Amino acid sequence: MLHSLRASGLKTGEWAAFPGGAGGVGIQGVQIAKSMGIRPIVVDSGEAKRKLSLEMGAEAFVDFKER
């Protein structure tokens, strides 16, 4: 995740989306991105994953099963 975020060229204040980001690797990406000043968005499903994502630093959560 760290290598991918560095290689992305994203700068402080820019957004990064993490599809399936409430899983183990995705959550690490969210935390690393947040520490780099990047604004993480998690795309996943379910209230438990929403809660975890937001607690771990995601600025937004998109539930792909909701309309």
Side-chain angles (χ1 to χ4, degrees):
M1 273 299 175
L2 178 59
H3 176 75
S4 295
L5 285 165
R6 285 182 177 161
S8 73
L10 290 169
K11 295 175 181 56
T12 300
E14 294 182 328
W15 294 92
F18 293 86
V25 175
I27 284 297
Q28 289 177 359
V30 167
Q31 293 174 318
I32 293 168
K34 191 73 171 182
S35 73
M36 295 171 71
I38 298 168
R39 303 175 73 186
I41 301 171
V42 171
V43 180
D44 218 319
S45 66
E47 190 55 39
K49 290 179 180 180
R50 176 189 309 270
K51 184 175 186 263
L52 174 65
S53 298
L54 296 174
E55 287 175 357
M56 292 294 140
E59 289 194 32
F61 182 89
V62 176
D63 190 326
F64 63 84
K65 290 187 176 180
E66 290 182 1
R67 294 182 186 210

